[in-house]
Amino acid sequence: EEQLVESGGKLVQPGGSLRLSCAASGFTFSSYSMNWVRQAPGKGLEWVSYISSSSGTIKYADSVKGRFTISRDNAKNSVHLQMNSLRAEDTAVYYCARDGGYSSGWVNWFDPWGQGTLVTVSS
Amino acid sequence: QSALTQPASVSGSPGQSITISCTGTSSDIGSSDLVSWYQQNPGKAPKVMIYEGSKRPSGVSDRFSGSKSGNTASLTISGLQAEDEADYYCCSFASSTTFVAFGGGTKLTVL
């Protein structure tokens, strides 16, 4: 079974940092691009970041550019999101999502998704 | 403000058909075959229902169908069932600085 499991979410103060992780299993992780998608409480989905299978292409939403860094470790079947200079508006459930197809520099669709990890930015 | 525009809510009675529209621009839906639709139930992760505009993943009911015309994509659910009540999101790859655009979501109520 293809599975993604996020971890690392917690309560953090404004201006703080946090590192999210996503562990993948059940598929050849090194063959797929990965993404982070977030959802603020009661709001819609917002794409955050993309990393291609070889880490050769990385993209960010304008709202997090310069503050967040995506990375992956194909040997450990994991993808990470380093979040710095956190703001109240970064409060959300963060989902790890695999590209549903094979891509290098674009997103086909998101499948599967992890269960999400909650990040709360508040003093 | 979401890059793609969806109606906030739609409703229908069991057995009826409904269509959810998703309007973008020539930089996303209008120039991309990579339109997808997601169903999200409360407290759960989204689930893909349609990908590449009109394709259904295995296990998704054939009551769900997708289409596109110009800058607008549509999700149609026929033979509405109570279990279809959920939030639905459209998504498109965007060949611009946006990269990926989501719609604001549509809450489907089965009356």
Side-chain angles (χ1 to χ4, degrees):
Chain A
E1 179 192 5
E2 299 176 338
Q3 192 172 15
L4 299 171
V5 178
E6 302 94 335
S7 61
K10 67 177 185 180
L11 173 64
V12 62
Q13 291 190 337
S17 297
L18 202 57
R19 186 181 193 235
L20 305 183
S21 296
C22 170
S25 61
F27 62 95
T28 305
F29 180 75
S30 60
S31 295
Y32 290 90
S33 301
M34 298 295 296
N35 296 266
W36 287 95
V37 177
R38 69 184 180 183
Q39 187 170 35
K43 302 297 185 181
L45 301 172
E46 179 189 16
W47 170 79
V48 173
S49 186
Y50 162 95
I51 186 167
S52 62
S53 57
S54 65
S55 303
T57 300
I58 288 175
K59 300 285 186 180
Y60 299 99
D62 286 345
S63 58
V64 306
K65 200 171 295 182
R67 300 187 298 123
F68 290 12
T69 301
I70 192 172
S71 62
R72 65 188 293 160
D73 185 338
N74 286 345
K76 295 183 177 180
N77 292 348
S78 60
V79 61
H80 308 281
L81 187 68
Q82 176 67 41
M83 304 187 294
N84 298 331
S85 303
L86 283 162
R87 307 166 180 168
E89 54 264 37
D90 295 319
T91 294
V93 173
Y94 284 74
Y95 294 102
C96 173
R98 192 196 74 181
D99 196 304
Y102 296 106
S103 73
S104 181
W106 65 91
V107 170
N108 292 294
W109 67 95
F110 301 110
D111 183 52
W113 298 63
Q115 85 288 350
T117 187
L118 176 62
V119 173
T120 303
V121 184
S122 175
S123 54
Chain B
Q1 189 168 351
S2 301
L4 306 179
T5 301
Q6 299 180 232
S9 63
V10 298
S11 62
S13 299
Q16 289 186 328
S17 294
I18 63 95
T19 296
I20 300 172
S21 63
C22 173
T23 301
T25 69
S26 58
S27 296
D28 38 66
I29 293 177
S31 59
S32 175
D33 294 327
L34 301 176
V35 176
S36 50
W37 289 88
Y38 302 87
Q39 177 191 67
Q40 187 179 35
N41 288 297
K44 301 294 186 181
K47 171 189 173 185
V48 63
M49 306 301 284
I50 296 289
Y51 67 97
E52 292 180 354
S54 61
K55 298 179 180 178
R56 274 189 314 274
S58 60
V60 172
S61 170
D62 60 5
R63 297 185 298 104
F64 290 82
S65 62
S67 63
K68 189 187 89 167
S69 177
N71 296 339
T72 299
S74 298
L75 173 71
T76 298
I77 309 174
S78 59
L80 267 181
Q81 299 180 1
E83 67 198 48
D84 299 332
E85 189 163 289
D87 293 326
Y88 291 86
Y89 293 90
C90 61
C91 179
S92 174
F93 173 70
S95 56
S96 65
T97 56
T98 304
F99 197 64
V100 174
F102 274 104
T106 298
K107 182 176 181 58
L108 169 62
T109 301
V110 180
L111 303 171

